[in-house]
Amino acid sequence: LERLAYAEKFESILATKFNTAKRFGLEGCESMIPGMKTMVDAATLCGVTDVIIGMPHRGRLNVLCNVVRKPIEVIFREFMGTSNQGSDDVSQDWSSSGDVKYHLGTSYDRAYPDGRRVQVELLPNPSHLEAVNPLVVGKARARMDAQGDARGDAVLPVIVHGDAAFAGQGVVYETMQMVALEAYGTGGTIHVICNNQVGFTATPEQGRSTMYASDLGKAFGAPIFNVNADDPEAVC
């Protein structure tokens, strides 16, 4: 409940304080935040030490703040355009589209009271959202090789998708079909499809041919769980 409250409050403050800015809000899918935090908790209990996340704009600031623990004052500074970095810094909004703050990533080392440690990392990404997928699994594989983790027990790649992008972008399938290749396997990636029923401007029946956006996973025998976002406990 506390995690859900953090997620919901974050959205409402952004909506009040920056009501004219482009806000790729998580409204209606806030239960993704407690779900992802529970996922990190459960994974670390199973021996995971590195969580590498890639995700689109939708809900990104909420994940940065409440899952990866990016300082909230830094996020607000980016909204106000007073980020105190030099003009040669890459985070400057050179695109004039106002959404560069949604392209930034961060990394955070978290320690649990019982001594467990986990590094949670969110990769930066361009506006072409699903382009980050091969980077996530590639970075996970590189870290596995560097740590001598042959099966991927300690490194967990997580990719968050919108429903329309997951079903519609070719790079999703291209990345998934490398699952069993010797040099590319990661021991499995968790895909979270945050489905708000509107693929930017199109309804599901205008954007895909199957009932569920996740049906692509059937091609690889992936276990698929459809959970109603209105039931946060079920999500967790």
Side-chain angles (χ1 to χ4, degrees):
L1 177 63
E2 183 183 30
R3 290 169 169 185
L4 190 64
Y6 270 113
E8 202 279 328
K9 192 68 179 169
F10 181 81
E11 295 290 350
S12 66
I13 286 174
L14 282 189
T16 309
K17 206 164 169 53
F18 306 106
N19 58 353
T20 58
K22 262 204 286 194
R23 270 186 349 273
F24 298 91
L26 204 51
E27 287 98 340
C29 293
E30 288 95 347
S31 52
M32 186 177 97
I33 299 299
M36 287 187 70
K37 287 180 76 82
T38 304
M39 175 192 71
V40 173
D41 294 347
T44 54
L45 285 170
C46 300
V48 167
T49 57
D50 296 83
V51 179
I52 299 170
I53 305 172
M55 70 176 298
H57 290 10
R58 172 97 32 226
R60 186 182 188 90
L61 298 183
N62 213 319
V63 170
L64 274 170
C65 175
N66 291 318
V67 179
V68 193
R69 307 271 188 93
K70 179 173 179 173
I72 196 166
E73 60 272 20
V74 176
I75 294 175
F76 286 163
R77 273 209 304 272
E78 287 164 1
F79 260 103
M80 292 184 282
T82 56
S83 188
N84 53 2
Q85 288 146 331
S87 57
D88 57 344
D89 193 280
V90 290
S91 68
Q92 279 250 311
D93 190 0
W94 46 264
S95 73
S96 72
S97 68
D99 69 351
V100 164
K101 55 192 159 291
Y102 289 96
H103 298 185
L104 305 173
T106 193
S107 177
Y108 180 77
D109 283 306
R110 183 173 171 193
Y112 286 87
D114 64 2
R116 281 177 291 148
R117 298 192 72 86
V118 62
Q119 183 183 39
V120 183
E121 187 171 355
L122 180 66
L123 296 193
N125 67 294
S127 287
H128 194 306
L129 305 173
E130 300 290 340
V132 79
N133 299 2
L135 301 181
V136 172
V137 291
K139 181 154 194 173
R141 175 59 190 240
R143 193 162 291 180
M144 282 167 52
D145 290 347
Q147 295 178 359
D149 177 14
R151 298 192 334 162
D153 292 334
V155 182
L156 177 66
V158 180
I159 307 177
V160 184
H161 310 268
D163 50 311
F166 186 83
Q169 296 280 11
V171 68
V172 180
Y173 187 93
E174 291 166 26
T175 304
M176 290 179 76
Q177 70 86 26
M178 297 201 288
V179 61
L181 300 185
E182 189 183 342
Y184 295 90
T186 59
T189 300
I190 292 180
H191 296 266
V192 181
I193 301 177
C194 181
N195 186 353
N196 64 356
Q197 302 286 313
V198 183
F200 203 59
T201 56
T203 57
E205 55 271 14
Q206 291 172 312
R208 63 171 181 268
S209 303
T210 58
M211 171 76 87
Y212 298 108
S214 57
D215 286 340
L216 176 61
K218 293 177 180 175
F220 306 98
I224 298 170
F225 304 91
N226 293 301
V227 192
N228 192 324
D230 289 343
D231 188 346
E233 288 175 326
V235 174
C236 290

